[in-house]
Amino acid sequence: MALLCAVFIMLFISCEAKLQLRKDINITALFAFGDSIVDQGNNNNLITHAKCNFLPYGKDFMGGNKPTGRFSNARTPADMLVEDFGIKKLMPAYLDSNLKVEDLKTGVSFASGASGFDLLTPIVASALPLSVQLALFQQYIWKMNGFIGEEATKNIVKKSLYIVVAGSDDLCNTYFMLKFPRKIQYNVDSYANLMVDGASNFINDLYNMGARRIWIFGLPPIGCLPSQILRGGGPPKICVDEYNQAAEIANTKLSNKIYSLNKKLPQIELLYINIYDPLLDIIVNHDKYGLEDALSACCQGGNVYLLCDNITKICENDANYLFWDSYHLTERGYRVLLDQISN
């Protein structure tokens, strides 16, 4: 894969990120913030419905039947990225009680399932807001100062790669599902502004804590998530245009904000990662990628949250499916998507 043993730098032309490989820079630590896509188990001990430390989650993880709190049948994009960079096999959750100093030195995830750029999103879901995730990162810095010294800790913070995955829960849950109060207060355009303001504040705070290499993942075509197709009330396996258009509006504003911050913040290497177009191509042309079903969930949860549970019916072969549950991809799906992004 093109990500292996290299890092991308950014060349911006008309607000579009062009990727170019730099093989002279090694990434030795990676940190994740955001929502369930890169939550490695931080929600396990929270009182929230956004958790998955039970089967069938993890049914294919590291030999099988090992639910860890990852929202998939096996590994997440965070796990794949640290392996692709040659850092380690898996990215642990920061709130994992079994962490060792060596785990901390090479990066952890602070992400929390059902979090978002809108503060209301994690509050409603009882998840960790991005502000709390940053507070945990500050705690991490203090811990590492004690373990390895301030200079060594500053070096890790400055040279690490930071990935941020958020925004889908803002639109899917807070805006379109809850409706009140956000859909009453804002139209889609103004709500996207609120989301981007939240993202901008987070990036500035992370920068002020010493981070310099930051990747912000855009929103997927949320109208094609099985959960949103169901909630949209239209025909089965037909994406909801209204939801996809909202994601595109948010992505355009987010991309433009990142372009602006790159010019404003000295020494920052801030990259917007477009996942909307690659994922939509996988959905539309799933046969090309060896997938039989790209709009149904392998694990179809029967509860109101549309997540899997211990009575959920599971498809026979999850490797044939893009989606694991109604929100998240299978490990195979994530691998195909990451490969598309890096090509």
Side-chain angles (χ1 to χ4, degrees), residues 162-210:
Y162 300 81
I163 62 172
V164 183
V165 184
S168 295
D169 289 289
D170 294 323
L171 283 177
C172 291
N173 299 336
T174 307
Y175 191 78
F176 285 117
M177 186 178 77
L178 286 180
K179 295 182 173 61
F180 182 83
R182 291 302 192 229
K183 204 168 184 183
I184 306 299
Q185 297 171 316
Y186 303 95
N187 60 23
V188 168
D189 190 80
S190 58
Y191 186 67
N193 288 334
L194 181 149
M195 291 170 58
V196 172
D197 286 344
S200 178
N201 291 337
F202 175 82
I203 292 167
N204 275 285
D205 289 342
L206 189 58
Y207 174 85
N208 289 333
M209 296 174 75

Side-chain angles (χ1 to χ4, degrees), residues 18-318:
K18 305 297 181 182
L19 301 180
Q20 179 179 327
L21 285 173
R22 283 262 315 262
K23 294 185 178 180
D24 60 320
I25 299 178
N26 290 321
I27 296 296
T28 57
L30 192 153
F31 296 89
F33 295 86
D35 60 27
S36 56
I37 305 302
V38 288
D39 181 350
Q40 308 295 89
N42 287 315
N43 276 17
N44 287 356
N45 295 316
L46 299 183
I47 301 174
T48 175
H49 292 288
K51 63 170 64 179
C52 57
N53 54 338
F54 47 82
L55 291 172
Y57 290 97
K59 82 175 192 67
D60 303 308
F61 184 80
M62 303 299 289
N65 294 326
K66 293 180 181 178
T68 61
R70 289 167 169 83
F71 288 79
S72 187
N73 61 304
R75 297 185 303 157
T76 70
D79 295 317
M80 295 174 187
L81 285 171
V82 293
E83 183 177 41
D84 290 341
F85 279 119
I87 298 171
K88 51 189 173 184
K89 183 73 174 177
L90 301 169
M91 175 182 280
Y94 177 67
L95 297 181
D96 184 342
S97 60
N98 296 315
L99 283 184
K100 299 179 175 57
V101 175
E102 288 304 311
D103 297 319
L104 293 169
K105 286 168 67 175
T106 51
V108 293
S109 171
F110 300 94
S112 175
S115 195
F117 292 127
D118 179 357
L119 180 59
L120 182 60
T121 300
I123 289 176
V124 169
S126 300
L128 301 176
L130 287 173
S131 58
V132 173
Q133 295 179 34
L134 283 174
L136 291 174
F137 181 50
Q138 182 61 67
Q139 182 188 70
Y140 164 90
I141 293 173
W142 292 333
K143 282 184 179 181
M144 294 305 288
N145 285 342
F147 289 143
I148 62 175
E150 290 188 17
E151 286 304 312
T153 301
K154 284 182 181 178
N155 192 52
I156 290 174
V157 171
K158 182 179 180 180
K159 294 185 177 180
S160 295
L161 174 63
Y162 300 81
I163 62 172
V164 183
V165 184
S168 295
D169 289 289
D170 294 323
L171 283 177
C172 291
N173 299 336
T174 307
Y175 191 78
F176 285 117
M177 186 178 77
L178 286 180
K179 295 182 173 61
F180 182 83
R182 291 302 192 229
K183 204 168 184 183
I184 306 299
Q185 297 171 316
Y186 303 95
N187 60 23
V188 168
D189 190 80
S190 58
Y191 186 67
N193 288 334
L194 181 149
M195 291 170 58
V196 172
D197 286 344
S200 178
N201 291 337
F202 175 82
I203 292 167
N204 275 285
D205 289 342
L206 189 58
Y207 174 85
N208 289 333
M209 296 174 75
R212 291 297 179 266
R213 298 190 187 114
I214 307 171
W215 290 4
I216 308 294
F217 285 72
L219 277 69
I222 60 169
C224 297
L225 304 183
S227 60
Q228 304 313 297
I229 292 174
L230 179 63
R231 286 175 175 157
K237 295 194 176 185
I238 300 296
C239 299
V240 183
D241 287 341
E242 179 188 5
Y243 298 174
N244 280 351
Q245 289 167 9
E248 289 186 286
I249 290 170
N251 282 338
T252 298
K253 292 176 181 289
L254 182 59
S255 176
N256 290 340
K257 175 59 70 173
I258 287 172
Y259 176 74
S260 174
L261 290 173
N262 261 300
K263 297 172 65 176
K264 174 185 174 183
L265 301 175
Q267 299 181 335
I268 197 168
E269 296 176 7
L270 182 60
L271 180 63
Y272 169 77
I273 305 291
N274 171 22
I275 67 169
Y276 185 102
D277 293 316
L279 185 54
L280 189 59
D281 183 65
I282 294 168
I283 290 170
V284 173
N285 302 300
H286 56 275
D287 290 344
K288 182 174 72 173
Y289 300 96
L291 297 167
E292 294 180 6
D293 195 319
L295 288 171
S296 301
C298 168
C299 168
Q300 300 184 19
N303 53 64
V304 67
Y305 306 101
L306 301 179
L307 296 173
C308 308
D309 53 38
N310 58 7
I311 60 172
T312 300
K313 294 181 179 180
I314 305 174
C315 65
E316 290 186 8
N317 186 356
D318 51 57

